[in-house]
Amino acid sequence: MNIPLPPVEELALIDRELVQLDARRLYLLGRREWLLRLPAPPVRPPAAPARREETSAPGAQNVLLALGAVLLAVAALAFTLLSWGSLGITGRSAVLAVVTAAALAAPVPLLRRGLRSTAESVAAVGLLLTVLDAYALYAVGLPGTDGAAYAAGAAAVLAAAWGGYGLALPELRIPWYAAVLAAQFPLPLAASAARAGQQGAGWALLATAALDAALAWRARAAVVPAAVLGAAAVLGAGALLIGAAGSWSAASASDALAPAALLLAGAALGTAAAWREPRARGAALAGGLSAVVAVGGVARPGLDPAWAVVAHLLVALPLLAAVRVEALPAAVGRALARAGALVAALVAAASLAAAVAALPARIGVLGEVWAATTPARGPYAPEAAVPVALLITAGAAWWAGRAVSRPEGAAVAVALAWAGLCTAPGALALPVAAVLAAQVAVTVGAGALALRCPARGARCTAAWCALAGAMSVSLGALDGRAATFAVWGLLGAGCAAGAAYGAAPRVLRSGAAVCAVGYATALAAALAAAAQMAVAWWSLPVLVVPAAVAALGPRLGAVRVPAEVAAGVAGVLAVALSAARTGTPASVPVPTLALALALAGIVCAGAAVRADRRVLGRPAAALLVAAAWVRLAGAGVSVPEAYTLPVAAPALAVGFLRRRRDPSASSWVAYGPGLAAALLPSLPAVLGGSPAGTGQWLRPLLLGLAALAVTLMGARRRLQAPLVLGGVVLTAVALHELAPYVAQLAGALPRWAAPALAGLLLLAVGASYEKRLRDARRLRDAIARLG
C-alpha cells in the first residue's frame, strides 16, 4: 500500500527529477552535434551475387573418374582386339599381365591417400582387364575348347577371384558387384554346354537364385544385398516361367512331373525367402502360384480344359487357410493366401466370361417371340464346369471374408453364387421349362436376400443380381406364351410382395414397386397380344395399370410415389400404343388415340380428387382437351373456334371462381389464359381472310363483338387483362375491316394531300406534345390501378 508524501517532500522530489532530466538532455544534444561533424563513411557497392554452381564437386569428380575408366577400358579393348598381332606370345602375355597387375594394385596406395572414388575407377579397369586375360587365354591357349563350357568355368573363376579381391580391399564396392554379376553365369552356361534342355536350364537358374539368396542372407553389412536379391528374383522368375511353360505344354501326367518338381522347388525357395526376410513377401506369393501350377499341371492332361481350371482352383483353395496358420509368419501366411485368392479371382473371371456368353441366345428371343424355338442347350450354353467353379469360388469368397473380417467377401460370394446357380440349369442341359423355373427360383431367392440381409454390401449385391436375373429370365420366357405369363406373373407377384415388406429398406421397396408396375404393364400388353388385338387397342388394357395404381394410391404408403411414377410411364406407353399406325403410313387410329387420351385424362382427374394430388388436375385437363382435339381433327373440323372455345370456357369459369375466392388475384392469372384461348386463335383467321365487305363477315363480326364486350367488361370492372386483350383484338379487327376504305380514300386524294396532311399532323403533335404526355401518364396510372 503506497502512503502519499507530504506536499513539501513531494515537491522536492519532483525538482530533483527535473534537474536529472535536463542534464540527460544536454548530454544527448552534445553527442548529436559531435556525430554530425564527423566525415561521412564511404558507401560500399553491393556485393555481386554469387554464381550458382550447377553441379557439386563430388558429382564432377565422379563424372571425370567414370569417363577416365571408360576411356581406359576402350583402349584396353582396342589393344587386345586390334594390336594383338604386332607382338609375340611372350610380349602379349607380359603386357596384359603387367597392366592387369598394375591396375589391380593401384587402388591400394590410392585408398591409403583417401582417394576412394579414384580407387573404385581404377579397380573397375583392372577387373575388365581380367576378363580380357580370360579371353586371351582362350584365344591363344585353348582355342579348341567348347565356348560355353569355357565361359562357364571362366565366369566361376572370375567370380571367385573378384570376391577374393573384394575381401582383400573391403573399402571397395565395385569388386563385390562384379563378383555377384559373374556368379550368375556359371550354372546357366554349364547347362547350355551340357545341352540339358529347358528343364535343365530352369534348374540351373533356380540353383543360381538359391545361391544368390544364401549369399544375401550371409553377406556382411558392407555388401549391399539388394543387388543379390534382385538377381535372385530375376533368375527365380525365369526358372518358374520355364517350369510353368513345361507344365502347360505337357501331353501326359508323366511329362508334367519334371516341370512340377521344378515348380515345387521354386515354391519352397520363395517361401523360405519370405520366411527369412518378411519384406520379400512377393517371393511367397510367387511360390504359392508355382505350387498351384505344379499340382494342377499334373492333373491337367487327363481333364477337359474347363475341368482343368476347376482342378487348379481346388489346389489353390487350401492356400487361403494359410492366413489362419499360426506356425507361419504373418507375412508368409498373407502372401500364400493372396496367391490362392488370385487364382480364385482368375477362375471366377473366366467363368463369368463364359456365363455372359450365353446372353446373346436370350436376346435373340426378341426376334422370335412365342416361337418356342429355344433348344434345351443352346450354342452359347456354358460347360458344366462353369457353374461348379462359380459356386466353389463363392464359398471361398464367403470363407475368406469371414476369416479376415471383411464385408466385401459376402458381397462377392452372393454375386458368384447367383451366377453359378443361374448358369447351372443351362449347363446341365435341362428342359427349357426346368431352366426357367430354376432361374425364377434363384431370382426370387436373390430378391428375398436383398430384402432381409443385414449386411449392406451383400444386400446391394443381391438386389442388383435379382434385377439382372429378372431381366434375363423375362427375356427367356418370351419363347412361349405359357412361359411368358407364368414367369412374368410370378416375378410381378414377388416384386409386389417385396414392395409390401415393411422391414426392408425404403429404396429396395421402391425399386420392387416400380418392377411390380412394370410387370403388370407387360402382362397387360401380353394379354392383349394373346387375344390377337390390334396394337393400337393394346392401350386399353395397359391403361388399367395406371387406373389401379391411382385407386390404390393411399394404401401404397412409402412406395406410393415410385409406383405412381411408374404408372405414369405406363400411361405414356398406352398413349403411344394407341397412336400406332395400322395399314398405310397415313392411317392413324384416331378413335383409339382419342379414347386413350380421354381415359388417361379421366385417370388423372380421379387421382386429382385427393387433396395431395391436386397437381394432376392440369395433366387431366390437358389430356381431355387433347382427346377432344384429336376427335375433331379426325372428323375433319377445321374451324379454330371448335378447338379453342371448349378450352376457354372452363378456363374462364375457373378464373371466375378464383377471383371470388381471392379478390386480390391478378386478372392476368385468373382471366388471361381463358381470354387468350378464346380471342387470339381466331384473330389470325380474321386477318388472313377477306374483309367483311367481300362476304366473309360473320367471323369478324362475332370476334369484334366479343372483343368489344370483353373490353367494356374490363373497363367496367377495372380489370387489366380483359381491357388490354379485348382492346388489342378489337383494334386489330377494326383496322382489318377499314383497310379497303382507307385504300380507296388514299387513291382519291391528290398527291400533294399526303405531305400536307403529314405536315399538319406533325404540327399538331408538336403543339400538343406536353398535354398528350400528361394524358398518357394519367392513362397509365389508371390502367395500373385496375385489377
Side-chain angles (χ1 to χ4, degrees), residues 563-595:
E564 289 178 344
V565 171
V569 175
V572 173
L573 175 63
V575 174
L577 289 174
S578 66
R581 299 180 183 275
T582 57
T584 62
S587 61
V588 177
V590 173
T592 56
L593 178 58
L595 180 60

Side-chain angles (χ1 to χ4, degrees), residues 518-547:
Y519 275 112
T521 304
L523 282 172
L527 285 172
Q532 297 183 354
M533 298 173 60
V535 176
W537 291 100
W538 290 11
S539 58
L540 300 183
V542 170
L543 280 173
V544 175
V545 177

Side-chain angles (χ1 to χ4, degrees), residues 423 469 473 532 617 719 776:
T423 55
V473 73
Q532 297 183 354
L719 298 177

Side-chain angles (χ1 to χ4, degrees), residues 39-106:
V43 179
R44 296 182 180 180
R51 290 184 298 175
R52 186 177 63 88
E53 297 180 354
E54 296 184 356
T55 181
S56 62
Q61 164 195 304
N62 293 334
V63 171
L64 294 176
L65 292 175
L67 289 176
V70 170
L71 292 177
L72 289 176
V74 172
L77 289 173
F79 171 76
T80 304
L81 299 177
L82 301 178
S83 302
W84 189 255
S86 61
L87 298 176
I89 181 131
T90 304
R92 288 177 286 180
S93 302
V95 169
L96 277 178
V98 170
V99 174
T100 302
L104 294 176

Side-chain angles (χ1 to χ4, degrees), residues 196-303:
Q198 288 187 351
Q199 298 304 314
W203 281 105
L205 293 175
L206 187 62
T208 306
L211 294 175
D212 290 338
L215 177 62
W217 294 334
R218 298 182 62 86
R220 297 182 304 170
V223 181
V224 181
V228 185
L229 290 177
V234 173
L235 295 179
L240 295 181
L241 289 177
I242 291 175
S247 177
W248 289 332
S249 61
S252 62
S254 58
D255 294 340
L257 291 177
L262 176 60
L263 290 171
L264 291 175
L269 176 60
T271 305
W275 198 308
R276 179 65 180 269
E277 178 55 56
R279 292 177 299 176
R281 54 183 176 271
L285 176 64
L289 295 176
S290 301
V292 172
V293 176
V295 180
V298 176
R300 183 195 59 79
L303 300 173

Side-chain angles (χ1 to χ4, degrees), residues 350-678:
S351 301
L352 286 175
V356 171
L359 290 179
R362 283 284 170 88
I363 298 175
V365 176
L366 294 175
E368 299 177 351
V369 178
W370 292 352
T373 58
T374 301
R377 182 180 178 86
Y380 297 101
E383 297 289 339
V386 171
V388 174
L390 289 172
L391 293 175
I392 293 175
T393 52
W398 177 81
W399 184 91
R402 296 197 57 177
V404 298
S405 300
R406 296 293 297 270
E408 294 84 357
V412 175
V414 169
L416 294 175
W418 168 80
L421 293 175
C422 282
T423 55
L428 296 177
L430 297 179
V432 176
V435 171
L436 294 177
Q439 291 179 347
V440 168
V442 172
T443 302
V444 173
L449 179 63
L451 295 174
R452 302 179 63 90
C453 183
R456 181 180 179 182
R459 180 173 65 243
C460 295
T461 304
W464 286 109
C465 290
L467 180 60
M471 294 175 61
S472 176
V473 73
S474 298
L475 285 175
L478 289 173
D479 186 60
R481 295 191 180 187
T484 299
F485 290 106
V487 171
W488 289 6
L490 289 174
L491 292 178
C495 293
Y501 185 64
R506 184 173 181 177
V507 63
L508 295 182
R509 294 180 60 196
S510 300
V514 172
C515 292
V517 174
Y519 275 112
T521 304
L523 282 172
L527 285 172
Q532 297 183 354
M533 298 173 60
V535 176
W537 291 100
W538 290 11
S539 58
L540 300 183
V542 170
L543 280 173
V544 175
V545 177
V549 173
L552 297 175
R555 302 179 183 178
L556 295 178
V559 299
R560 180 180 181 181
V561 174
E564 289 178 344
V565 171
V569 175
V572 173
L573 175 63
V575 174
L577 289 174
S578 66
R581 299 180 183 275
T582 57
T584 62
S587 61
V588 177
V590 173
T592 56
L593 178 58
L595 180 60
L597 290 171
L599 292 177
I602 292 172
V603 171
C604 290
V609 173
R610 301 188 181 95
D612 56 347
R613 291 295 183 268
R614 293 292 170 80
V615 69
L616 295 176
R618 296 179 180 178
L623 289 171
L624 293 174
V625 170
W629 285 358
V630 169
R631 195 64 181 174
L632 289 173
V637 177
S638 59
V639 179
E641 290 79 8
Y643 297 89
T644 59
L645 292 181
V647 179
L652 291 174
V654 171
F656 177 75
L657 297 176
R658 172 74 180 275
R659 287 277 297 183
R660 287 188 61 183
R661 186 173 64 252
D662 183 13
S664 62
S666 173
S667 62
W668 288 103
V669 176
Y671 300 118
L675 292 175

